[in-house]
Amino acid sequence: MTKRQLAGSAAILLALSVPASAQDDTQPVKRPTVSRNAPPSSNATVNLINLLVKQGTLSEEQAAALIKQADGEAYVARQATRDATAKAEGAEKAATTATDAVSPPGTKRVTYVPEIVKKQLRDEIRAEVMDRAHKEGWAQPGALPDWISRIRFYGDVRVRHESDFFPKGNAVGFFPNFNAINTGSPFDVSDLSNPNTYPSYNVDQDRHRERLRARLGMEAEVFDGFWTGMRIATGDNSGPVSFNQTMGGSGGNFSKYAIWLDRAYIRYSPTNEMTLSAGRFDNPFFTATDLVYHRDLGFDGFAAQGRYEVEPGITPFVVAGAFPIYNTTFDVGAQLASDGTNATFGKLPSRDKWMFGAQVGGNFRPQPEIELTVGAAFYDFSNVQGKVSSQCYVYSVQDLCDTDLLRPSFAQKGNTYIPLRSIVPTVFNSLGTQFQYQYFGLASAFQDVDLSARLDLGHFDPIHIILDGEYVRNVAWNRNDIAAKLLNAGTFIPNNGFVPLGPTAACASLPCPQVYEGGNQGWLARLSVGHRELKQLWDWSAYVGYKYLESDAVLDAFADSDFGLGGTNLKGYFIGGNLALSSNVWLTARWMSANQVAGAPYAVDIFQFDLNARF
């Protein structure tokens, strides 16, 4: 055997004798030792060469050279084997792809499964598992699970400076705070002629306030079409129409502020055209302005909304809902005074209050740059009108009468009020001249017809011209009924849309005859010019409008809380504008001038300057 033949044989033996796991050309290989005295090796090739050295066929130098040559040739052999394997796998994959291309989708062959098919199945299963792992977030350490991607957080912060200016001539003492009376202890009206005896609103001393509003909300998709959400917000109190927190309030001295649950709801949208809501959610009705409802008012209850595009650019909609306004405390009741010597104890009957609403309307786009939205709504308020109680013996603020729960649990100002209690004169109340502890209720019932419209002209896009209008009429209002109640009340109640008759504004004696001057209508018109959405630096918008809202057109509890410092029985103009500092930060300035529609003189001018940020 020649040296060349020995080297070839050695190369083949080396290539075959080295395990596949050890055939890594990236790692240095320790060359076998060749010697007459070398111990037996696990490598057959090395043992053969050592045997030839011992027999004298090869010298140690020749054997070492042979091993080096064989080592190189073994490397070439391994590379050739690897290349051949790769080409074979590529051919198998190409064949599999061709077979799949001519086979119907979903074809499975179970008679015989070649190894290449088994490998392909393993690869497909591995890909499916990894895809699921990536989607569910457990494939990557520290990755967030899928459910977090279905949650959206949002919020905003507003810092406001507000100045309230009262001109001379306002009727000081003619604006009692009925909300303070009805949410606290009943008030002794036996000396109402003295304005210092009852809580009243400030109408003559200017005020300057720094105010803060912060809101944080979350909305999550929980299941096919089901969403849930909640929001918390600041506020001086739990009232429904203002989230403003006066800085320096809540006791001052940097005291912490209260946080209220403002939204909490479940919403179901089986299709894009229908939405069902339950809980506490945004106003579901289309309202072009805040004439009837404050822009941020939350609605408790249940609502259904539907819309459908019947023709391109024509989309009618319908909204309906039922909303609990007040639910009788489960165990309300205490001492019910019956006469001067005995007292009975019991519970008061339920006086739950509800609002039922329905609206029809439509959205119209006769041209791409013109959009018109109109709506007609009817709101029926159940059990909100006050009723005079049966004859009631009252000796202290703890006594109850059977219609006490009809008093509003929240109010601003403007609605007409009547005393609720028919107090029996006794020797204990000086025959009705002392200790006349009263609560007050609304003199009118409320069933509102509301018409809203918005016309958006985008001919100069991105600059838009927007016209908003709204009209409301309380069809349950009855002038004669309210006037008769006031006349029979036997108590003078200031600032209820009426003027008293008598020698003095507060009347010289009781009862005090009164002439009712309130009303049941309201309207608002507004013109806006500018960017419809503030998306980037220097985007702007400006608006001007006029508002007229009579005393008993709507519930003052839900009306705008800014114009005229809130409520009804107000008229006047407003003007303002917005300027963007970025896509989510903007400035707002607004001036509002309001006057009383009927009753005692009242006027106030308000300036507001806001810095807003949202996320």
Side-chain angles (χ1 to χ4, degrees):
M1 180 178 291
T2 64
K3 181 178 179 181
R4 180 69 179 179
Q5 291 173 327
L6 282 173
S9 301
I12 294 173
L13 288 172
L14 278 174
L16 294 175
S17 62
V18 179
S21 60
Q23 295 179 14
D24 183 358
D25 299 314
T26 63
Q27 302 296 328
V29 179
K30 184 177 180 180
R31 193 173 303 284
T33 302
V34 179
S35 172
R36 294 178 183 272
N37 301 319
S41 171
S42 59
N43 192 311
T45 303
V46 175
N47 289 334
L48 175 61
I49 293 177
N50 283 331
L51 180 61
L52 293 174
V53 172
K54 288 181 181 180
Q55 293 177 351
T57 305
L58 294 174
S59 64
E60 291 185 4
E61 291 76 18
Q62 291 175 328
L66 183 64
I67 290 294
K68 182 177 180 181
Q69 180 181 350
D71 219 10
E73 292 177 0
Y75 173 81
V76 173
R78 289 196 301 272
Q79 285 296 107
T81 301
R82 182 177 292 117
D83 293 342
T85 301
K87 291 179 179 179
E89 289 179 353
E92 290 170 348
K93 289 181 179 179
T96 301
T97 303
T99 302
D100 292 343
V102 299
S103 299
T107 300
K108 301 294 182 181
R109 304 178 184 280
V110 297
T111 304
Y112 171 70
V113 182
E115 189 63 31
I116 186 63
V117 176
K118 292 180 181 180
K119 183 178 183 302
Q120 182 179 0
L121 291 175
R122 286 194 298 269
D123 292 343
E124 290 177 354
I125 294 173
R126 183 182 299 108
E128 291 177 0
V129 172
M130 291 303 298
D131 181 63
R132 180 180 177 185
H134 282 293
K135 287 182 177 179
E136 297 183 359
W138 47 268
Q140 303 175 7
L144 297 177
D146 176 63
W147 61 269
I148 290 183
S149 66
R150 293 182 278 111
I151 297 179
R152 178 180 71 94
F153 288 92
Y154 63 94
D156 63 89
V157 175
R158 182 181 70 196
V159 179
R160 165 177 290 177
H161 168 78
E162 179 175 320
S163 294
D164 306 319
F165 304 101
F166 297 101
K168 295 181 179 180
N170 285 348
V172 178
F174 269 66
F175 302 91
N177 188 338
F178 289 109
N179 186 64
I181 295 173
N182 287 332
T183 57
S185 298
F187 180 72
D188 183 3
V189 299
S190 59
D191 193 23
L192 259 179
S193 59
N194 182 358
N196 295 321
T197 63
Y198 55 84
S200 61
Y201 289 103
N202 171 30
V203 298
D204 64 335
Q205 299 298 319
D206 295 349
R207 289 288 185 263
H208 305 279
R209 296 179 288 179
E210 315 308 319
R211 316 193 80 184
L212 173 71
R213 184 189 72 181
R215 299 181 295 189
L216 175 63
M218 178 276 292
E219 188 173 59
E221 182 181 10
V222 293
F223 184 65
D224 294 338
F226 281 93
W227 293 74
T228 185
M230 61 178 59
R231 188 175 74 184
I232 55 177
T234 55
D236 280 334
N237 51 58
S238 61
V241 293
S242 177
F243 302 107
N244 290 317
Q245 170 64 59
T246 301
M247 289 189 276
S250 299
N253 297 312
F254 302 137
S255 300
K256 294 184 287 293
Y257 302 140
I259 294 293
W260 309 91
L261 181 63
D262 173 51
R263 297 288 189 272
Y265 59 86
I266 297 174
R267 187 177 69 243
Y268 177 53
S269 298
T271 67
N272 292 331
E273 291 78 25
M274 178 175 288
T275 300
L276 305 175
S277 303
R280 181 176 177 86
F281 42 83
D282 292 339
N283 183 355
F285 300 98
F286 165 68
T287 53
T289 74
D290 52 15
L291 178 70
V292 178
Y293 300 118
H294 185 271
R295 67 188 67 84
D296 293 324
L297 180 67
F299 279 62
D300 296 341
F302 313 91
Q305 300 165 282
R307 60 175 54 242
Y308 185 75
E309 187 175 29
V310 296
E311 296 285 348
I314 302 177
T315 306
F317 62 83
V318 61
V319 185
F323 313 95
I325 298 174
Y326 172 81
N327 185 265
T328 305
T329 304
F330 182 77
D331 206 31
V332 63
Q335 177 175 312
L336 300 173
S338 59
D339 56 39
T341 58
N342 299 307
T344 59
F345 296 85
K347 305 302 178 185
L348 292 179
S350 174
R351 298 290 187 180
D352 296 347
K353 303 175 184 180
W354 285 77
M355 185 195 101
F356 303 95
Q359 183 181 53
V360 294
N363 180 269
F364 306 93
R365 280 186 174 270
Q367 299 178 18
E369 63 273 11
I370 299 177
E371 181 179 8
L372 173 65
T373 305
V374 297
F378 179 74
Y379 307 114
D380 182 17
F381 295 88
S382 173
N383 240 9
V384 300
Q385 185 179 21
K387 295 181 181 179
V388 179
S389 71
S390 58
Q391 287 194 333
C392 182
Y393 293 87
V394 176
Y395 305 108
S396 70
V397 294
Q398 284 78 33
D399 295 330
L400 297 177
C401 295
D402 57 12
T403 61
D404 283 357
L405 295 182
L406 288 177
R407 69 189 189 272
S409 56
F410 175 80
Q412 297 191 83
K413 63 181 188 300
N415 286 160
T416 304
Y417 284 83
I418 59 171
L420 294 178
R421 293 175 166 183
S422 178
I423 301 175
V424 177
T426 67
V427 294
F428 294 95
N429 59 26
S430 302
L431 300 180
T433 61
Q434 291 183 343
F435 310 125
Q436 300 292 290
Y437 297 107
Q438 277 287 0
Y439 281 127
F440 297 89
L442 297 175
S444 177
F446 287 85
Q447 292 179 333
D448 287 329
V449 174
D450 179 39
L451 306 177
S452 275
R454 171 171 295 165
L455 177 61
D456 186 341
L457 304 176
H459 298 80
F460 309 101
D461 189 71
I463 302 301
H464 286 246
I465 300 174
I466 301 175
L467 298 172
D468 292 314
E470 191 165 2
Y471 172 82
V472 64
R473 183 183 184 91
N474 178 11
V475 297
W477 175 81
N478 187 313
R479 175 185 295 276
N480 294 332
D481 177 67
I482 297 175
K485 289 177 179 178
L486 293 173
L487 185 63
N488 296 328
T491 300
F492 167 54
I493 312 170
N495 186 36
N496 276 259
F498 59 80
V499 292
L501 299 178
T504 65
C507 295
S509 62
L510 296 176
C512 179
Q514 302 165 31
V515 174
Y516 176 62
E517 292 186 340
N520 68 327
Q521 301 181 73
W523 58 272
L524 190 152
R526 178 176 59 208
L527 169 65
S528 303
V529 179
H531 293 83
R532 188 162 59 177
E533 297 181 12
L534 305 180
K535 295 182 177 180
Q536 58 187 3
L537 179 65
W538 308 132
D539 282 358
W540 62 274
S541 65
Y543 56 88
V544 61
Y546 189 88
K547 178 177 182 178
Y548 181 91
L549 188 61
E550 294 179 333
S551 61
D552 297 304
V554 300
L555 286 173
D556 65 24
F558 303 144
D560 179 27
S561 63
D562 291 322
F563 186 80
L565 295 178
T568 64
N569 201 22
L570 295 166
K571 62 181 179 180
Y573 70 90
F574 54 90
I575 186 171
N578 303 283
L579 179 66
L581 302 182
S582 74
S583 59
N584 291 310
V585 180
W586 72 100
L587 300 173
T588 299
R590 180 163 60 157
W591 177 270
M592 296 171 284
S593 181
N595 292 270
Q596 185 100 313
V597 174
Y602 171 77
V604 61
D605 294 325
I606 301 170
F607 172 72
Q608 294 174 340
F609 183 78
D610 303 339
L611 173 62
N612 308 272
R614 65 189 171 200
F615 59 90

